[in-house]
Structure formats: C-alpha cells, structure tokens
Amino acid sequence: MRKLILVIYGCLALQLSHAQKMDSVHISKMEDSLKTVANDMIFNKDLEQRMQSNQKFVRSLVKVLEKPYSYQYKFDSLQTISIEYAPDNAFRIFTWELELNDNYFRQFGAIQMNTKDGKMKIFPLFDASEFTEMPWDSVRDAKHWIGALYYKILKNSYKGKDYYTLLGLDDHDFLTTRKWIDVLTFDKNEAPQFGAPIFQYKYDTIKVQPPVDRFLFEFKKDGRARLNYDPELNLIVFDHLISEKNRPWDKMTLVSNGEYEGFQWKEGKWVHIPNIFANQKNNPNTLPKPKNDSEFDLR
C-alpha cells in the first residue's frame, strides 16, 4: 500500500511539473506578442495607435497572468515596462506609461501577488494624478493611485506591520519631471493601500514642510536629478534642488546644486536629513560618495 501511494504521488507530482512546464511554454509564446504590443504602445508616433495598443496590452497581460503559476515567469524580454519585485517576494508590480498629447504622460500598472496555489491574484492600478491638485496628501486605494514607473522597492517593518517603500518616475509633462517616494501597505482585507503619514522633518532648521503621505520630487525637464536608495549609506538619497531663476516655487526652474538630502528609516518613519554630507567639507572620508542612479530609461 505504501509503495502504491508513493507511485501515485510521484505520478501526480510529475503531471503537475509537466503542466507547469507547459504553462511556461505557452506564456513564452504569449510574451512575444506582449513585447510587440508594448513596443508599439511606447514608440508608435500616432496617439490613437498608442492608445489602442495600450488597451490591447492590458487585456493581453491579464490573460497571461491568468495562467497557473505565472508569477514564476520573469518576462525578461519586456524591456519597455517596469517589473519590480518586493524584497520578500510577496508580490511584483508591473508599471508603464503612455504618452498623450503635448508630452503629457499617464501611468498604468498592476500588482500581482505571489499565491501559494499559483492562482492569479492581481490588483489593477488606475492613475488618478490628474484628478487631484495635491497628490501627496492622502492615503489611496488601487483605484485612486498616484501613477509612477517604479524602479525600486524597499521593505521595512515596525511593530509587526510591513511597509513597502516605492521609488518611482513620472515623466509628467514637457516642463517638469517628477519622482515619487510612496509607501505601500496592505489592509486587513489584504488590499493595497498607497501612502502613509510617516514622513518627518524634525531635523530641519525651518519647519516648512507640510505633513505628507508620499514625497514628491519635481524638477526641470531633463534635469537628471537623482533619487535612489544607497545601500552603503542605508538612506534614500536625492539631489538638493535650487532655482536657476531665484523662483523656488517654480518647479520648471529647479536643478541640482551638487548637494544631497535624504530620508532615513527610524522607528516606523522616514526622517528627512537636510544635508547628509554636511560634515564632508572638514572630513571628506566621513561618508562614501553616493552611487550613480540605477533607474531605467525607457527612451
């Protein structure tokens, strides 16, 4: 009887393994189609064609992710969209952007959860940036997401709660570029929530920053200002911005001056550090130089 059970178990395991392998073959073929549609969605010069390809891409992506154990498939050839994994591999996020008229951009995305049974569990993300004047001031669900192309996910925990910090890019419009530090958590129903009141400015000499649920970093178009996580410093590091025309409120005039600010995780908060290299003038070996920005470039 024991031998019979082992034989049956072995046959079932072989069938399951074969099925997963067959799914990978099917997904690979579907990926080729996704790649073609994604390229047209990004690079086609005709707006209507880009919009149609975007709709087709959304439908095709959902169809692919419906395949059993699709989370295990890496989609390595989809270079025109971003696929970022949580550090604990609990989920991954697909994000991409569509260029509309006058160089205005809208983001799209989906969170795919890593389920034990291989069944699809996704949360579509709907960009609501254009429907709010203050996109930094609220906690939002997936239907009211502040869109960004994510290039880094960090994980921190505090008092039993997990916080996933998302670093993202928004090409925004022809005047400015935006980068975001957002925070992703999951509520009691395991639904995603974006934003959290955990940004503090207690070390700033002048407390001018209002409470925010996500951090906006906006600067002159093509200014190439840096915002990324530096593992050696264990900080989120970003360029200090100044106005070229003495108009600090005018985002299209803001450029880097070669100094750096940052955020440090402390007791469940991202605490702002106004000048993380303030002591380097007297002691240049105090801290290592920040790394080059490793975010992707779609164009």
Side-chain angles (χ1 to χ4, degrees), residues 175-176 219-221 244 247 250-255:
L175 296 175
T176 66
F219 50 91
K220 180 180 178 181
K221 195 68 179 178
E244 293 179 309
R247 299 201 305 267
D250 188 352
K251 303 297 186 181
M252 63 177 290
T253 71
L254 298 184
V255 296

Side-chain angles (χ1 to χ4, degrees), residues 202-256:
K202 65 180 182 179
Y203 296 126
D204 290 30
T205 303
I206 302 176
K207 302 284 194 305
V208 297
Q209 295 288 348
V212 296
D213 293 289
R214 61 186 54 81
F215 177 75
L216 172 61
F217 186 62
E218 187 170 3
F219 50 91
K220 180 180 178 181
K221 195 68 179 178
D222 298 325
R224 304 296 296 177
R226 175 186 188 274
L227 186 153
N228 215 333
Y229 173 71
D230 193 309
E232 290 188 22
L233 302 178
N234 195 24
L235 299 173
I236 297 175
V237 178
F238 55 96
D239 286 306
H240 178 72
L241 301 177
I242 60 173
S243 175
E244 293 179 309
K245 300 181 179 180
N246 199 28
R247 299 201 305 267
W249 62 87
D250 188 352
K251 303 297 186 181
M252 63 177 290
T253 71
L254 298 184
V255 296
S256 172

